[in-house]
Amino acid sequence: MSQFEFEAGVNDCLKKLEGPLSGGPIPRWQRKERDGNLACSGKPFSPLQATSRSRLTLNLSSQTYTPGGKKAKTPSKSPKKTPLKSPKKFGLSPRGDRFIPARPLVDCEWSHFQIMQGSEAADSVYDMELEGNDEYQATMAEHLGTNSTCKILRFKSGAPMTKEGWHQNKLRVLYCQAKPAAPKVKSSRHIPQAEDRILDAPDLLDDYYLNLLDWGSLNQLALALAGAVYIWNPSNGETCHLMQLEGEDYVSSVRWIGQGSILAVGNSNCQVQLWDVAQSKCIRVMEGHVARVGSLAWNSFILSSGSRSGAIHHHDVRVASHHVGSLLGHNQEVCGLEWSPDGKLLASGGNDNVLNIWAHGGVAELDTNPLHVLTHHQAAVKALAWCPWQPNVLASGGGTADRHIKFWNANTGSCLNSVDTNSQVCGLLWSKEYKELISGHGFSQHQLTIWKYPAMTRVTELTGHTSRVLQMVMSPDGQYVASAAADETLRLWKCFTSQQKNKKAPGRGAAKEAACLMSCMKVR
């Protein structure tokens, strides 16, 4: 029996499909015919009659079309719908079948009318709003706070009363979120971001452990390029070729004496030479090291030299037997060497990650044991600088594996502060006029960074080098900083503008002492 029932159901479906359509959209040709008839009759044509899907569906509910397109007469069994009683201003259809709003009207108005339908208060509010009732406008103005003391935001205890004329502007605004503008404080100085000068330095050795640049008290800059040493005068731009080593030997360090034109030159042949730059003459050669001399430091007439063997030798340049002492506190190359401003302490940094501080009370009191052995750094310690206004404060910088600048109390050996620079520290210099510090770095920006001391906040960063900064020195007046980098360029930066208009020239005593010292330096 089930198969017969299924067959009968299929036949009923086929009959319905073959029968006339009882619903669906009006064919396109009928819509065009109807629109044309409306246009000819002169009746107003509403866009909703052609575009509203709901209106088309409404018309189809009472009409049936045959497949041929002719209208079939079907009795309508639906009762008449009573039109809604609402004002004409809300756009009800004159037929009263249902509400169809015009496009320009806002839907929220009709929605609110339907919610409030039957409420006399709502009808009165709408009448007041749409007809421009003065009472309604006054009520809205009062609640919006335009003509009264009622405010949306107010203080918990009430704001203090102000006198007439104390307001900041014509809008009678006295309190605001932003703070009043304070008077601008003049910047301490302008730091140019670009180099003052750029010089070529071909054949500059890319060796982190060497010290190939120094700036003398007579405003002369010494630079070692492979086996040669050049002297450049920034005042007139003149360059002088001072010396040249033979063969494969190279210059590993240069250092000017405190006052005068004497230049100490260390080389890969384990020698330390003294040159009188004014006369372009080598006046002395001192030996004693067993490896290259990579670092030099002057303390009056005492010249200290550090070598690759880890030994530090002291030379008294006034006497024939120049070697007066040795310090054996490092087991690898000594790459940093600096005397304190008062000449009582010597700081030495090595490739063994050790920073030693040595005490020195005089020529006859050279101590062979370090005062402090500091092992906080995790890489080679090359960058060393003593604070000019605090002789017992020492700044040191570590290499690639360390990247920290550390500050030490040389008297107690305690670490005062440590700053992570996120880059290899190649050089450190203190400003003579500002409480600031400048550091030279390697990968990745190869920049010079100026720090505010003791807060160690970054003042600015100077970029321009394309390879790591190998050496930094400061001009005698303390305004310029020269940096030599592995990109074979020498750049001058005006970092610390002088605040003093007139600076005193070196006294006669210093010049007399330098002349006396030169007379004692003779080849023996």
Side-chain angles (χ1 to χ4, degrees):
M1 294 296 294
S2 59
Q3 63 271 24
F4 296 110
E5 294 178 358
F6 175 75
E7 185 178 358
V10 172
N11 293 331
D12 292 341
C13 292
L14 292 176
K15 290 179 181 180
K16 291 181 179 180
L17 292 175
E18 294 176 356
L21 295 175
S22 60
I26 302 175
R28 184 168 176 266
W29 66 273
Q30 289 185 357
R31 290 201 304 271
K32 285 188 174 182
E33 182 180 359
R34 182 194 62 189
D35 296 344
N37 295 335
L38 291 175
C40 295
S41 62
K43 296 183 179 180
F45 179 74
S46 173
L48 293 176
Q49 293 178 351
T51 59
S52 175
R53 186 181 183 92
S54 58
R55 177 59 61 86
L56 295 176
T57 306
L58 179 64
N59 294 337
L60 288 174
S61 62
S62 58
Q63 298 177 1
T64 304
Y65 294 88
T66 60
K70 297 181 179 180
K71 182 172 67 173
K73 297 182 179 180
T74 55
S76 175
K77 297 182 180 180
S78 59
K80 278 189 176 182
K81 295 183 180 180
T82 305
L84 296 175
K85 294 181 180 181
S86 58
K88 294 182 178 181
K89 55 182 172 289
F90 286 101
L92 288 178
S93 172
R95 297 182 181 179
D97 49 3
R98 62 194 182 94
F99 173 75
I100 302 177
R103 292 295 182 185
L105 297 181
V106 182
D107 294 340
C108 62
E109 295 181 1
W110 171 239
S111 302
H112 187 269
F113 172 77
Q114 286 183 328
I115 294 173
M116 302 299 293
Q117 185 179 7
S119 173
E120 296 179 0
D123 293 339
S124 62
V125 169
Y126 268 94
D127 292 339
M128 293 165 60
E129 178 184 0
L130 298 176
E131 295 177 7
N133 191 294
D134 296 338
E135 183 180 356
Y136 173 77
Q137 298 294 339
T139 304
M140 293 299 294
E142 180 180 358
H143 287 285
L144 290 176
T146 56
N147 295 325
S148 69
T149 58
C150 179
K151 303 296 181 182
I152 298 175
L153 300 177
R154 61 177 299 177
F155 291 88
K156 186 175 181 181
S157 58
M161 299 300 296
T162 59
K163 296 182 180 180
E164 188 66 25
W166 282 23
H167 300 278
Q168 293 181 352
N169 49 43
K170 296 181 180 180
L171 298 177
R172 303 175 68 85
V173 177
L174 180 64
Y175 301 99
C176 58
Q177 182 180 3
K179 296 181 178 179
K184 293 184 179 180
V185 180
K186 292 184 179 180
S187 178
S188 58
R189 70 187 187 283
H190 170 67
I191 303 177
Q193 297 297 308
E195 309 89 339
D196 189 73
R197 295 185 187 181
I198 302 177
L199 304 175
D200 291 330
D203 298 329
L204 180 66
L205 298 179
D206 185 7
D207 195 329
Y208 176 78
Y209 306 101
L210 303 184
N211 294 272
L212 307 176
L213 180 67
D214 196 24
W215 207 328
S217 60
L218 301 180
N219 197 24
Q220 291 179 317
L221 197 145
L223 177 63
L225 303 176
V229 175
Y230 293 88
I231 307 298
W232 180 65
N233 191 336
S235 301
N236 51 28
E238 294 181 357
T239 303
C240 172
H241 184 195
L242 181 64
M243 59 163 292
Q244 179 71 48
L245 295 178
E246 298 178 357
E248 297 182 355
D249 293 337
Y250 58 88
V251 177
S252 52
S253 58
V254 293
R255 195 65 179 266
W256 288 98
I257 196 171
Q259 294 292 334
S261 61
I262 301 300
L263 179 68
V265 179
N267 55 41
S268 60
N269 201 21
C270 314
Q271 296 177 345
V272 178
Q273 301 179 3
L274 298 180
W275 284 79
D276 184 356
V277 177
Q279 300 180 6
S280 300
K281 180 180 179 181
C282 179
I283 59 177
R284 192 163 191 180
V285 177
M286 298 180 291
E287 299 181 351
H289 287 289
V290 296
R292 70 179 186 183
V293 182
S295 56
L296 296 168
W298 285 92
N299 183 11
S300 186
F301 48 83
I302 298 295
L303 174 63
S304 301
S305 58
S307 70
R308 197 171 194 172
S309 64
I312 301 173
H313 291 174
H314 296 297
H315 310 273
D316 188 345
V317 297
R318 301 172 300 176
V319 296
S321 301
H322 57 85
H323 185 268
V324 293
S326 297
L327 304 176
L328 305 176
H330 296 276
N331 52 32
Q332 292 190 35
E333 184 169 11
V334 179
C335 50
L337 208 57
E338 286 292 335
W339 281 98
S340 62
D342 55 7
K344 295 180 180 180
L345 297 174
L346 174 67
S348 62
N351 193 27
D352 53 1
N353 308 345
V354 176
L355 170 62
N356 289 329
I357 299 178
W358 312 81
H360 171 50
V363 180
E365 301 178 8
L366 292 172
D367 196 351
T368 57
N369 296 320
L371 181 63
H372 301 292
V373 179
L374 309 173
T375 59
H376 296 64
H377 285 288
Q378 304 300 318
V381 184
K382 176 189 178 183
L384 297 174
W386 292 91
C387 182
W389 61 86
Q390 289 180 317
N392 63 322
V393 175
L394 172 67
S396 62
T400 305
D402 184 78
R403 305 181 301 275
H404 279 74
I405 299 176
K406 297 182 183 294
F407 298 89
W408 310 90
N409 185 336
N411 294 334
T412 62
S414 59
C415 183
L416 303 177
N417 191 10
S418 180
V419 179
D420 188 1
T421 64
N422 299 317
S423 181
Q424 179 188 44
V425 183
C426 305
L428 289 172
L429 293 173
W430 290 89
S431 173
K432 298 179 181 179
E433 293 194 18
Y434 304 92
K435 288 192 175 181
E436 294 176 354
L437 184 77
I438 183 170
S439 57
H441 299 275
F443 183 82
S444 60
Q445 296 184 6
H446 318 297
Q447 82 280 13
L448 278 70
T449 304
I450 300 178
W451 308 82
K452 192 71 177 178
Y453 182 83
M456 291 306 291
T457 56
R458 298 174 189 261
V459 178
T460 187
E461 290 187 349
L462 307 175
T463 57
H465 285 293
T466 58
S467 298
R468 63 177 177 178
V469 179
L470 297 173
Q471 189 78 27
M472 286 195 320
V473 291
M474 185 174 289
S475 61
D477 59 2
Q479 298 189 54
Y480 291 87
V481 172
S483 59
D487 57 4
E488 296 187 348
T489 62
L490 178 66
R491 299 172 187 254
L492 269 67
W493 314 81
K494 192 171 184 179
C495 302
F496 308 103
T497 305
S498 177
Q499 293 178 336
Q500 300 177 5
K501 294 183 179 179
N502 296 321
K503 282 198 167 185
K504 295 183 179 180
R508 295 183 179 180
K512 185 177 180 181
E513 181 181 356
C516 181
L517 185 60
M518 290 182 59
S519 63
C520 297
M521 297 179 186
K522 295 180 180 180
V523 182
R524 300 180 184 272

